[in-house]
Amino acid sequence: MGRFDGRIAVVTGAARGIGLGVATRFAEEGASVAVLDLDEDQAAKAAASLGSDNGQKHLGISCDVSDSASVQAAVARVVSEVGGLHILVNNAGITRDNLLFKMSDDDWDQVIAVHLRGAFLMSRAAQKVFVEQKFGKVVCLSSVSALGNRGQANYAAAKMGIQGFVRTLAIELGPYGVNVNAIAPGFIASDMTDATAARVGMSVEDFRAAAAGRNPVRRVGFPEDIAAAAAFLCSNEASYITGQTLYVDGGAKLVS
Ligand code: NAP
């Protein structure tokens, strides 16, 4: 008996990294999972990798979360082909790091579009189902970078925006049985942080070791760390928690 038996979850950007970690955990705990990502083949491959001991139905769908029509079509497919929707994890993300004087219009617009507009479009599409059934769970990915990070004016603005977004949705949707929270990860080993290592000219090993040295628990995080927090926030045990941002960062925020 899993915490998500009979539940249907959508995880955006779940073809790899943190999103795939979250999708895997939800499936292990009994949920049917729709994997949304830009590339249809990668999304399908990720969905096929999820366990289905409970007879679940997983689905990979190509979706650009920053595109309204694409989001509406994807959510409609989940509802009709998987049979409903109970949980939404807004995880899809990109970075376009640059110091302010070098940051292009596109660097700014793309990051805001994927993180903020994407979370807005997905949540708006899902809330229709959630409010009608008087049940829903939304988790959005923020970041410790929301607190400020050199070279990430676009990303920090988006990730702090997410925190205001979840607080507001929590107020609006709480009366309809919908919990809305954010997770703010610290350094998580993924393609995203590996790409940053390459950009700053460090090996992945050295980059991760440096990040581990900057937090009290002296290790980097892994997608499983975020998946455990997301599973808790989407479980019935967390039904009295809403509008919060949970930092999952090995204590990095305490010492930065
Ligand atoms: P990742 O490995 O780069 O994976 C991100 C996924 O999102 C990719 O599969 C990517 O697809 C997909 N994606 C990008 N744009 C999309 C769009 N418009 N529509 C749908 N999917 C899209 O990143 P991650 O490290 O797992 O990060 C996941 C989330 O956690 C992000 O929101 C990130 O900001 C946040 N976060 C990460 C860290 C960290 O240390 N890794 C720390 C704090 C917060 P493609 O492969 O096709 O590009």
Side-chain angles (χ1 to χ4, degrees):
M1 171 104 179
R3 285 189 289 184
F4 302 123
D5 287 352
R7 298 290 187 217
I8 298 169
V10 165
V11 186
T12 69
R16 59 191 167 103
I18 292 171
L20 181 56
V22 171
T24 302
R25 177 71 186 252
F26 283 174
E28 282 168 2
E29 295 206 37
S32 292
V33 183
V35 170
L36 270 53
D37 214 297
L38 288 173
D39 185 281
E40 177 108 43
D41 290 345
Q42 296 301 318
K45 212 171 126 196
S49 78
L50 303 177
S52 50
D53 293 350
N54 205 25
Q56 303 107 294
K57 182 174 181 184
H58 307 305
L59 192 62
I61 301 177
S62 159
C63 175
D64 177 353
V65 297
S66 67
D67 182 89
S68 191
S70 177
V71 163
Q72 285 173 51
V75 171
R77 267 192 75 187
V78 176
V79 172
S80 70
E81 292 180 36
V82 191
L85 181 57
H86 306 99
I87 296 168
L88 167 64
V89 178
N90 286 312
N91 166 84
I94 59 169
T95 52
R96 296 288 182 271
D97 297 353
N98 246 326
L99 293 174
L100 182 61
F101 76 99
K102 286 194 281 190
M103 189 171 281
S104 69
D105 294 8
D106 269 359
D107 291 337
W108 178 269
D109 289 345
Q110 285 178 25
V111 167
I112 299 297
V114 176
H115 293 275
L116 267 185
R117 182 177 159 84
F120 156 65
L121 292 174
M122 288 297 308
S123 303
R124 189 179 60 180
Q127 64 80 34
K128 199 171 177 304
V129 183
F130 292 168
V131 167
E132 269 168 23
Q133 70 196 8
K134 296 253 185 324
F135 180 91
K137 305 284 182 189
V138 181
V139 166
C140 299
L141 270 291
S142 177
S143 168
V144 287
S145 295
L147 302 170
N149 198 25
R150 187 179 156 83
Q152 291 199 310
N154 49 1
Y155 187 78
K159 291 307 199 186
M160 191 50 98
I162 288 288
Q163 297 192 21
F165 180 68
V166 302
R167 290 168 67 99
T168 303
L169 261 52
I171 293 167
E172 292 186 13
L173 300 178
Y176 300 96
V178 183
N179 298 71
V180 187
N181 291 289
I183 295 172
F187 188 106
I188 304 297
S190 75
D191 291 346
M192 184 178 272
T193 42
D194 290 353
T196 308
R199 203 162 46 244
V200 300
M202 285 174 78
S203 71
V204 166
E205 241 173 31
D206 288 350
F207 194 61
R208 288 184 186 181
R214 283 195 298 270
N215 71 45
V217 305
R218 295 289 190 268
R219 71 165 176 89
V220 297
F222 294 95
E224 292 77 9
D225 293 304
I226 305 306
F232 169 64
L233 288 172
C234 293
S235 73
N236 290 337
E237 294 156 286
S239 61
Y240 202 50
I241 301 174
T242 198
Q244 303 301 307
T245 296
L246 177 61
Y247 283 79
V248 182
D249 65 348
K253 180 165 80 81
L254 303 172
V255 293
S256 59

